[in-house]
């Protein structure tokens, strides 16, 4: 078997401005990445046009020879979870040189998809996405699923919409999710009260480690740069309607809807 | 009485119990104390309790729903350590109805009956039918 058989060329549907592939990418400050083994592979930043539904194919010659690595190292993140075998880093918000408007000084927005590489039955490597991070206006968001967030598309059937209310008082809208089980089921008042009584999630009885309060879901004003929007749209292919990007202390969160038109900020 | 500041949850639950009662279950609040319910559960068909009407008294303590409803001597894990405030009066009564369909001899209050049941299920079913006829029929 020749070495080229093991060369990995990454391809996927892509969206925006510039894209960088890191092998064994290590996350640093501000969601920037650096290669753990620069001698094996130097990441190349590849610029792209805006627009949806483009297919990205890594130019040949910029791949990596995976034969150098143990399958074990490729199939899981590092123990501290700051190094992933494959990191796809999409950057947006770069000033467009052709624009007439003066360049606005803005922090770079980025989205990184962190994946491991597993060999499938046919002997090919496949990327399995483990984590997605958004970096927006200086805040780091991590994609998580939240169960029980009501999808406004599904309403209208039932005037009562009992699922929208807190399961404890049945009168306030639910705005608090339980971690790590991610059941969104209570209002913040009841959540406080509950913590005094028990350490168990009302829905699944798993121990509560943390409560996230997600205040009124307001329609997000899509006046962030278009590029930022498409960045988020890209992530939709990997998230379902119950996913939320949350900042590390959970005080801010993004959610998105499947129709691609409605970004919502939870704040 | 304490009815004046009844939590909205209790009012909502009561309204729903009255407007959409679960099949075979009736629960109506006492007029003097809205936290006190008179409950009737019909013995499930095809169970030894078929034809019986089981009367229970259910009380919602001040701490409800953080604490479970009080129901006398009924062996039900959700009334003890498995209680969760996401459960409701309705779910508790449905669980009791289910218990009548399939009693749990491993978690008994009455040791004798449970032993009897395990040793000779056919005979125990007869006893249950007899007691249903004697003590739980004809309201
Ligand atoms: Zn509540
Ligand atoms: Zn839970």
């Amino acid at each position: 078997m020749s070495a080229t058989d093991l060369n990995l060329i990454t391809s996927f549907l892509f969206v925006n401005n510039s894209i960088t592939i890191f092998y064994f990418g290590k996350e640093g400050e501000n969601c920037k990445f650096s290669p753990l083994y620069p001698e094996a592979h130097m990441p190349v930043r590849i610029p792209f046009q805006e627009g949806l539904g483009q297919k990205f194919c890594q130019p040949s010659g910029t791949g990596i020879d995976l034969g150098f690595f143990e399958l074990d190292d490729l199939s899981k993140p590092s123990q501290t979870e700051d190094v992933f075998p494959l990191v796809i880093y999409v950057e947006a918000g770069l000033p467009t040189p052709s624009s007439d408007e003066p360049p606005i000084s803005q922090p770079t927005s980025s989205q990184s998809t962190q994946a491991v590489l597993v060999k499938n039955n046919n002997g090919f490597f496949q990327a399995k996405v483990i984590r997605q991070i958004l970096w927006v206006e200086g805040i780091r968001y991590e994609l998580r699923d939240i169960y029980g967030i009501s999808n406004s598309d599904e309403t209208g059937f039932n005037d009562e919409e009992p699922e929208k209310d807190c399961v404890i008082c049945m009168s306030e809208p639910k705005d608090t999710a339980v971690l790590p089980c991610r059941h969104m089921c209570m209002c913040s008042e009841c959540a406080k009260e509950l913590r005094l009584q028990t350490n168990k999630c009302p829905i699944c009885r798993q121990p509560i480690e943390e409560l996230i309060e997600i205040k009124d879901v307001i329609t997000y004003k899509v006046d962030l740069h278009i590029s930022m929007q498409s960045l988020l749209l890209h992530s939709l292919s990997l998230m379902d309607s119950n996913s939320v990007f949350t900042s590390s202390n959970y005080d801010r969160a993004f959610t998105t809807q499947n129709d691609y038109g409605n970004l919502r900020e939870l704040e | 009485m304490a009815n004046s500041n009844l939590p909205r949850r209790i009012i909502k639950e009561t309204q729903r119990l009255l407007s959409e009662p679960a099949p075979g279950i009736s629960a109506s609040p006492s007029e003097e104390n809205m936290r006190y319910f008179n409950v009737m559960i019909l013995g499930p068909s095809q169970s030894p309790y078929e034809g019986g009407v089981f009367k229970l008294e259910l009380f919602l303590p001040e701490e409800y729903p953080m604490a479970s409803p009080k129901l006398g001597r009924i062996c039900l894990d959700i009334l003890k350590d498995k209680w969760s405030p996401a459960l409701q009066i309705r779910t508790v009564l449905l669980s009791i109805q289910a218990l009548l369909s399939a009693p749990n001899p491993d978690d008994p209050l009455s040791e004798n009956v449970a032993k009897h049941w395990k040793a000779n299920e056919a005979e125990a079913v007869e006893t249950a039918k007899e007691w249903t006829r004697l003590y739980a029929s004809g309201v």
Side-chain angles (χ1 to χ4, degrees), chain A residues 130-157:
Chain A
I130 303 293
R131 190 156 78 173
Q132 280 199 304
I133 309 276
L134 267 187
W135 176 255
V136 186
E137 291 168 348
I139 298 170
R140 182 184 186 274
Y141 297 89
E142 194 169 327
L143 180 64
R144 290 167 199 273
D145 290 335
I146 302 284
Y147 310 112
I149 285 189
S150 48
N151 193 334
S152 57
D153 295 349
E154 289 161 16
T155 60
F157 281 100

Side-chain angles (χ1 to χ4, degrees), chain A residues 65 69 75 78 150 177 193 232-233 246-247:
Chain A
D65 189 344
F69 303 101
S75 63
S78 70
S150 48
E193 175 88 21
L232 279 155
L233 296 184
T246 56
S247 56

Side-chain angles (χ1 to χ4, degrees), chain B residues 25-92:
Chain B
I25 294 175
S26 95
S28 40
S30 138
E31 274 178 28
E32 302 88 66
N33 185 349
M34 297 281 284
R35 287 177 173 271
Y36 186 93
F37 289 76
N38 287 303
V39 175
M40 283 193 287
I41 301 179
L42 297 182
S45 59
Q46 260 133 63
S47 81
Y49 304 103
E50 183 169 7
V53 179
F54 295 83
K55 290 185 176 182
L56 303 166
E57 291 168 2
L58 181 146
F59 179 71
L60 302 176
E62 193 58 39
E63 307 81 52
Y64 180 82
M66 292 302 177
S68 68
K70 299 289 165 260
L71 253 161
R73 285 167 39 112
I74 287 186
C75 237
L76 199 57
D77 55 358
I78 59 165
L79 292 176
K80 293 182 271 171
D81 54 324
K82 291 282 162 48
W83 172 252
S84 153
L87 299 170
Q88 303 176 13
I89 302 172
R90 176 184 298 265
T91 35
V92 167

Side-chain angles (χ1 to χ4, degrees), chain A residues 166 169 187 190:
Chain A
C166 163
C169 62
C187 71
C190 290

Side-chain angles (χ1 to χ4, degrees), chain A residues 165-173 185-191:
Chain A
D165 287 337
C166 163
V167 298
I168 296 182
C169 62
M170 294 180 181
S171 33
E172 295 300 315
C185 56
M186 291 176 280
C187 71
S188 51
E189 280 305 306
C190 290

